[in-house]
Amino acid sequence: MTAATVFRNTVRVRFKDCDAAGIVFFPRYFEMLNDLVEDWFREALGWSFERMHGADRAGVPTASLECRFVAASRMGEILTRELAVQRLGGSSCTLGVRFLGPHGDVRVEFQQRLVCVDTGRMAPQPFPRSVHEAMSAFTVAADSHPGKEP
């Protein structure tokens, strides 16, 4: 088995993301998480949300979501977002995600389960084969993934 890949990208904490104290207002982390997932599907899995929700009449709604806020993030900081697959089934996957501060310190961790659905029937369906195969490259051991509590 080859070493798993972790999908990474960065995001700048903007004024719009912060509360009056100048730290990220917690719901904004969920928007940043959704943006990361959308980027992962487009850039790493080759299944853009435009194609998924349009021509393919599919979606990947969140079935469960847990998070742990570890430290505050401040306006202007660049956060590194990391995503790995903790569990991969035929029509669902569980993601481990963490956001790191400029010095590599953990700011927030997520565990998110997505389910692939047919949007016409709103019923589970298998991931397309190519997407499932691409996801498998991001699968990590349960004790070594982003989003895992220490």
Side-chain angles (χ1 to χ4, degrees), residues 6-7 18 38 40 50 52 62 68 74 78 81 102 107-108 112 115 127 137 145:
V6 173
F7 182 76
C18 297
E38 187 171 345
W40 180 56
E50 294 88 353
M52 177 195 303
T62 298
R68 186 169 79 98
R74 300 193 176 284
I78 303 292
R81 301 178 292 185
R107 300 301 178 81
V108 63
Q112 179 180 28
V115 177
F127 287 110
H145 57 75

Side-chain angles (χ1 to χ4, degrees), residues 11 23 26 46 60 64 74 104 106 110 121 126 132 138 144 150:
V11 63
I23 61 174
F26 76 94
V60 286
S64 66
R74 300 193 176 284
V106 176
F110 301 94
R121 297 182 300 116
H132 193 274
F138 293 90
S144 64

Side-chain angles (χ1 to χ4, degrees), residues 11-15 17-18 24 73-77 79:
V11 63
R12 179 178 303 278
V13 176
R14 298 182 180 276
F15 174 77
D17 300 320
C18 297
V24 173
S73 298
R74 300 193 176 284
M75 192 180 333
E77 288 183 322
L79 303 179

